[in-house]
Every structure is written in structure tokens, then in C-alpha cells.
Amino acid sequence: MHPLTEQEIRSSFINCSRRDAARLPVPPELDQVDWDRLDYLGWRDPQSPRRGFAVVPTEEGPKGIVLQTSGPAGPGKQAMCAWCQDVRLPHPVVMYVARRSGAAGRDGSTVGTLICEGFQCSANVRKRPPSPYKGFDMDAHIADRIAGLRERPRGFMAAVDR
Ligand SMILES: [Zn+2]
């Protein structure tokens, strides 16, 4: 994704007040981020473990959301992240809930989705799985997964922002 400055990140938020956006903890060392290997930027709030943030590139520019998790996905269920759809996850997938933007959000309307707890999706889709058969096109497989990860969070942003 295109590199973002702290100011661009703060001004991208669509489901919190400007005041909250100005105060939320942006990731440290943004100049160290490997933007070429990210399809969206996601991070947890170090002060508030149930809170996370995601900034997703969209056709209308980057859009950021505040997310809240209620904990791991239901017991006994092998949850799959709705964004990266990785099936060999080394970490938990949790339900994240976002307040909708504008009046709907002020009235308490939210939308939720299952996402990798620490927003590891971009790393997941770039992992090279064991080749399922001889001649398997690994590069095309990974390109497909990256394309999917660029698409699905945008769909979620559209649900938040209406
Ligand atoms: Zn994921």
C-alpha cells in the first residue's frame, strides 16, 4: 500500500470524532513500516488491549476505523479470518466490531467481522504453502490471495461507511 504519514492516518478515520482521531495511538516508527508488503495497516492499542485500528486503502483514499474486540471467536469453532481467509493460522482470529460512521454510528449501529487478532493478514497471504501438486503456480496463487486481501477489507469499509 501507499505509505501514510501520521497526519494522513489521523485524518482517515471515519467512525470516531476528530478529537478521538487526534489522540489515538498511531503505530510507532512509521518510517520503518514495510509498506510494499502491506495491504492495509492494522494495529492494537497498547493502552487498551481490546481496541484496534485499521486503515484500508479505498478508491476514495485511505479510510481508518476504530475496532473493538469482544474476545476470541466462538468456542470449538475453527474461525477463519474474513479478510485473509488463511487456513493455517498460527494465531487467534477474533470478532472485531466497528461503529458505523455518521448518524447510524451515533445511534449505536455497528458492524462486525472476524479478523486476525494482531492484523497479520498481509504476512499470511504472502506465506508460501507446501505445493499441493507438481507444477502448481505458487506466484499466481499468492497474487490471487493478495488481490483478495485488497478487496475484502474494502467491502467491510463500505459497510461501516454508509
Ligand atoms: Zn487475517
Side-chain angles (χ1 to χ4, degrees), residues 40 81-86 89 91 93 114-116 119-122 124 149:
Y40 71 92
C81 170
W83 287 6
C84 67
Q85 298 188 344
D86 197 287
L89 290 177
H91 51 255
V93 166
L114 292 165
I115 317 177
C116 293
F119 304 105
Q120 300 95 332
C121 306
S122 293
N124 293 341
L149 179 56

